[in-house]
Amino acid sequence: MKLKTVIIIIGFIGLWFFLKNFKSIYSDFKDTATEPKGKTVAGKKEGEWKTFYLNGNLKSIENYKNDTLNGPKVSYGPNKNLRAKYFYKKGIMVDSFIMYHSNGKVNSIEWKDENGKSQGIFKIFHQNGLLSQIGKHKNGHLDDTSRTFYENGKPKEIEFYKDNKKNGTWLYFSQNGNLIKTENYRNDTLISLKK
């Protein structure tokens, strides 16, 4: 009799745990995708290929040439929201690379050269659409001035890099815009600190 009671209690605990976590379990399940679909030529992917979530919504559109990513690629979330836009050339991600927040606003924008290395100005945005960070890449590394911002738009940090190393004066601000700290760097080494 006691064993039956214990088994019933364990069963109820298991059911409670499943129901409590159902949303998470369902979310994980619906995010899985079908096998990509498209045409092949001589056994190699060619042209447009699509992948779908199990709920039937489009997950991605990719373009291939001779079994290699070549051309635009677009990714979507399970609820049809745009996640990212890329561009490939001979299997290398090149050109503009744009990611989106779940609310549809741009998350980040950067540019990649013919070797797939990030170059030039990049921007990252908060979900409210305001700028979170703006900086510069050179050969895939941070280079020059980088600025980060609070969600209210006020400056948070001003940093300076040379070949991906901390250099120069770094400034840190409070959310109301007051300077709270200054650091000086040379070749990634902290030289001085002022609070």
Side-chain angles (χ1 to χ4, degrees):
M1 185 70 168
K2 290 182 180 181
L3 183 61
K4 274 187 176 180
T5 305
V6 170
I7 292 172
I8 290 171
I9 291 170
I10 291 171
F12 277 117
I13 290 170
L15 180 61
W16 172 81
F17 179 79
F18 175 79
L19 292 174
K20 183 179 178 228
N21 294 292
F22 177 75
K23 185 175 180 183
S24 174
I25 292 168
Y26 173 72
S27 177
D28 292 346
F29 175 75
K30 76 175 183 169
D31 288 354
T32 58
T34 62
E35 288 293 318
K37 295 179 182 166
K39 71 175 186 172
T40 57
V41 176
K44 295 181 178 182
K45 291 180 181 176
E46 197 67 43
E48 187 175 275
W49 279 67
K50 293 182 179 180
T51 305
F52 296 88
Y53 289 103
L54 293 182
N55 66 8
N57 292 341
L58 184 63
K59 181 176 184 179
S60 66
I61 302 172
E62 302 175 332
N63 286 277
Y64 287 86
K65 186 173 183 179
N66 198 26
D67 214 32
T68 303
L69 280 168
N70 198 70
K73 176 181 176 178
V74 182
S75 299
Y76 300 91
N79 297 320
K80 301 181 183 179
N81 54 313
L82 183 61
R83 279 192 174 163
K85 290 181 183 179
Y86 326 72
F87 194 87
Y88 284 87
K89 187 174 182 181
K90 298 180 182 178
I92 299 172
M93 190 188 303
V94 298
D95 208 338
S96 60
F97 172 51
I98 305 170
M99 294 184 68
Y100 297 85
H101 288 290
S102 59
N103 65 7
K105 293 186 177 184
V106 173
N107 177 312
S108 63
I109 301 171
E110 68 176 277
W111 183 268
K112 294 184 177 285
D113 66 15
E114 66 275 357
N115 298 312
K117 290 186 177 180
S118 298
Q119 302 285 2
I121 294 173
F122 69 91
K123 294 179 182 179
I124 301 172
F125 298 89
H126 292 290
Q127 283 195 339
N128 64 11
L130 292 177
L131 195 60
S132 170
Q133 183 177 9
I134 184 168
K136 190 175 180 183
H137 283 127
K138 182 178 179 184
N139 297 322
H141 298 294
L142 288 168
D143 197 69
D144 210 337
T145 304
S146 175
R147 289 178 165 82
T148 58
F149 302 88
Y150 290 103
E151 286 189 66
N152 64 9
K154 298 213 179 228
K156 183 177 184 180
E157 298 173 11
I158 299 175
E159 310 161 344
F160 189 80
Y161 294 90
K162 186 170 174 77
D163 296 326
N164 211 38
K165 292 182 180 177
K166 296 176 180 180
N167 275 287
T169 302
W170 285 38
L171 305 172
Y172 299 85
F173 300 89
S174 66
Q175 286 192 4
N176 59 10
N178 295 325
L179 181 65
I180 55 175
K181 182 170 71 169
T182 303
E183 297 174 340
N184 284 297
Y185 288 92
R186 186 180 305 130
N187 290 323
D188 244 6
T189 303
L190 181 63
I191 303 300
S192 66
L193 168 68
K194 183 181 177 185
K195 289 187 179 185

